[in-house]
């Protein structure tokens, strides 16, 4: 299959490109598109055959459900059987934006889209190209991140091309995404809203709107016996080709431990993932900064892209500094530890 790549700089000038892409989705095809979090791989969410194609292109296990993307809040009514008061308040406050809500599904949503579950994940992205595509596609676009299963999520169209060229109909290239890590997932089926995956919308931000918010135990537990409630979180996602190890502790200790560990490998076989604050203190191996601790948005923004850069190198081992503030740092650390298969050294 030839994958058509369409660059979109000014959306007002690309109405025809969007309409064509929408038509591909209506006809059961696959279109990758930018959102504010990561690139998504879109298909008609109400067409079981189209949903099946997504799993095939990504090599994704079929029990891992998809998020349905909508272009306006009212669209949710058709695909869920009930909207709780909390759901209503969260949608009002955070949509369009990087928050996905899990709600009971309506009959029109095929089980292919929900991985056999009776709940459905819904999100209204905050990105003009995404919103225009969803409208042109009939209003309901199922979209996981547009990477091959097990690779870092794509934050640029080039990443999508690396993984998906020849497997999907079209890529809408809207440049680099803003946030760089996937949306916060909030499950509303229990007594209190529960975070199943951390993202740019934090627990504190959610609690300011709906009061008590719980966190899936699997997110905070080091034990692999605790099964995550979001099926996708159980897989070793975001895996770089090299073995990744996170080193956590006081900054000085982390720097000297990473310097020590790195020297056990040949210099071109070892990578170091650090920040602007510490980059001058590493003098061995392939050293990459992912941003500054003063602005964690930069770290979230660059994480997946830098992991992909390491994949292009000869590096066989990567040592990474840890991140973990109550803000975005938690979401970064969650992704990093998953990429590391939970390998962490505390110094
Ligand atoms: O930011 C994002 O959310 C991006 C962009 C493209 O919107 N999408 C994304 O999709 O990250 P994906 O498929 O890579 O991750 C969806 C996650 C998976 O972990 C999946 O298991 C979970 O959402 N999920 C989907 N439906 C669910 C449901 N009904 N109950 C629990 N978890 C669900
Ligand atoms: Mg994904």
């Amino acid at each position: 299959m030839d994958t058509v790549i369409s660059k979109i700089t000014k959306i007002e000038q690309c109405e025809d490109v969007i309409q064509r892409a929408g038509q591909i989705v209506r006809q059961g095809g696959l279109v990758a598109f930018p959102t504010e979090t990561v690139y998504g791989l879109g298909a008609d969410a109400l067409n079981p055959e189209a949903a099946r194609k997504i799993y095939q292109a990504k090599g994704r296990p079929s029990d891992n459900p998809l998020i349905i993307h909508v272009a306006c809040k009212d669209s949710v009514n058709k695909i869920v059987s009930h909207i709780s008061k909390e759901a209503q308040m969260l949608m009002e406050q955070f949509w369009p934006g990087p928050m996905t809500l899990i709600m009971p599904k309506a009959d029109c949503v095929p089980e292919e889209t929900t991985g056999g579950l009776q709940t459905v994940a819904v999100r209204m992205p905050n990105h003009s190209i995404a919103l225009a595509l969803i409208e042109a596609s009939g209003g309901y676009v199922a979209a996981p991140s547009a990477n091959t299963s097990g690779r870092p999520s794509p934050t640029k169209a080039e990443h999508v091309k690396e993984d998906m060229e020849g497997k999907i109909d079209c890529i809408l290239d809207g440049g680099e995404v803003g946030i760089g890590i996937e949306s916060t997932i909030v499950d509303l089926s229990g007594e209190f809203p529960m975070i199943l995956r951390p993202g740019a919308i934090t627990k504190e931000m959610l609690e300011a709107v709906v009061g008590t918010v719980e966190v899936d135990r699997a997110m905070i537990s080091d034990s692999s016996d605790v099964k995550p409630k979001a099926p996708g979180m159980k897989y070793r996602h975001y895996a770089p080709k090299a073995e990744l190890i996170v080193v956590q502790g006081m900054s000085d200790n982390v720097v000297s431990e990473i310097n020590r560990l790195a020297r056990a490998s040949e210099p071109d076989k070892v990578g170091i993932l650090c920040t602007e604050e510490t980059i001058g203190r590493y003098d061995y191996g392939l050293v990459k900064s992912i941003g500054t601790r003063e602005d964690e948005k930069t770290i979230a923004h660059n994480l997946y892209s830098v992991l992909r850069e390491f994949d292009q190198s000869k590096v066989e081992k990567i040592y990474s500094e840890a991140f973990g503030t109550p803000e975005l740092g938690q979401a970064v650390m969650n992704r990093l530890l998953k990429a590391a298969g939970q390998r962490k050294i505390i110094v």
Side-chain angles (χ1 to χ4, degrees):
M1 176 190 296
D2 273 345
T3 303
V4 177
I5 302 177
S6 303
K7 200 162 178 60
I8 300 183
T9 30
K10 287 214 173 67
I11 188 151
E12 315 81 60
Q13 292 165 8
C14 296
E15 185 55 23
D16 53 329
V17 174
I18 299 282
Q19 287 310 321
R20 254 195 320 252
Q23 198 174 17
I24 292 173
V25 174
R26 284 172 195 266
Q27 290 170 350
L30 301 183
V31 175
F33 61 97
T35 78
E36 79 279 37
T37 57
V38 299
Y39 271 76
L41 178 57
D44 181 352
L46 305 182
N47 174 347
E49 204 44 56
R52 236 175 265 144
K53 281 192 197 163
I54 289 185
Y55 291 97
Q56 215 168 24
K58 278 181 63 88
R60 177 174 173 120
S62 61
D63 69 343
N64 189 1
L66 308 172
I67 297 173
I68 301 188
H69 293 66
V70 295
C72 71
K73 293 170 198 161
D74 289 343
S75 297
V76 176
N77 294 313
K78 179 173 158 183
I79 53 172
V80 306
S81 62
H82 172 70
I83 301 181
S84 66
K85 198 169 79 250
E86 284 82 11
Q88 198 70 48
M89 291 193 288
L90 291 174
M91 286 193 280
E92 282 309 318
Q93 185 69 29
F94 296 115
W95 278 6
M99 178 190 70
T100 296
L101 297 179
I102 310 285
M103 294 189 260
K105 84 175 190 70
D107 291 342
C108 67
V109 180
E111 292 197 356
E112 279 77 0
T113 299
T114 65
L117 298 176
Q118 292 309 307
T119 50
V120 61
V122 194
R123 173 164 116 79
M124 178 179 175
N126 186 14
H127 194 292
S128 57
I129 297 176
L131 294 171
L133 173 72
I134 296 163
E135 269 182 13
S137 303
Y140 299 96
V141 173
S145 47
N147 52 287
T148 300
S149 247
R151 293 214 70 204
S153 294
T155 56
K156 301 173 183 173
E158 293 77 50
H159 298 159
V160 181
K161 188 166 173 247
E162 268 171 34
D163 287 10
M164 292 295 155
E165 191 164 37
K167 297 183 181 165
I168 64 176
D169 300 282
C170 172
I171 300 173
L172 298 179
D173 177 356
E176 255 189 85
V177 301
I179 295 175
I181 52 176
E182 306 87 341
S183 60
T184 307
I185 301 181
V186 185
D187 182 358
L188 295 163
S189 60
E191 188 186 352
F192 296 108
M194 182 185 281
I195 299 178
L196 306 189
R197 178 176 74 181
I201 308 272
T202 62
K203 181 169 186 275
E204 289 68 25
M205 290 160 77
L206 296 166
E207 284 187 329
V209 178
V210 288
T212 305
V213 170
E214 296 179 324
V215 172
D216 186 4
R217 267 182 59 223
M219 237 171 74
I220 32 186
S221 166
D222 278 343
S223 155
S224 52
D225 298 342
V226 186
K227 213 172 136 230
K229 291 191 161 48
M233 297 294 277
K234 72 173 179 273
Y235 299 106
R236 186 183 160 211
H237 248 181
Y238 328 117
K241 284 181 190 149
E243 185 187 7
L244 173 67
I245 296 140
V246 180
V247 183
Q248 187 170 30
M250 300 276 288
S251 179
D252 284 348
N253 299 347
V254 168
V255 171
S256 48
E257 182 65 4
I258 291 181
N259 271 324
R260 192 184 69 79
L261 289 165
R263 282 178 163 73
S265 305
E266 309 262 312
D268 61 337
K269 300 269 173 62
V270 65
I272 294 174
L273 197 58
C274 65
T275 50
E276 291 304 306
E277 286 75 13
T278 51
I279 187 160
R281 299 173 67 191
Y282 297 107
D283 54 4
Y284 190 87
L286 182 57
V287 185
K288 288 181 186 283
S289 160
I290 54 171
T292 165
R293 285 180 190 273
E294 277 179 18
D295 182 3
E296 283 184 334
K297 287 198 180 84
T298 59
I299 294 173
H301 180 84
N302 294 325
L303 176 67
Y304 288 143
S305 189
V306 170
L307 287 178
R308 278 182 184 255
E309 282 174 30
F310 275 123
D311 279 351
Q312 313 255 342
S313 73
K314 284 198 225 144
V315 161
E316 289 168 5
K317 255 197 175 128
I318 305 168
Y319 295 102
S320 174
E321 296 180 0
F323 306 91
T325 66
E327 287 97 45
L328 207 49
Q330 234 180 37
V332 172
M333 190 62 172
N334 170 273
R335 306 309 196 274
L336 203 55
L337 280 174
K338 279 169 118 358
Q342 305 298 326
R343 273 182 301 266
K344 180 168 74 175
I345 296 173
I346 297 177
V347 291

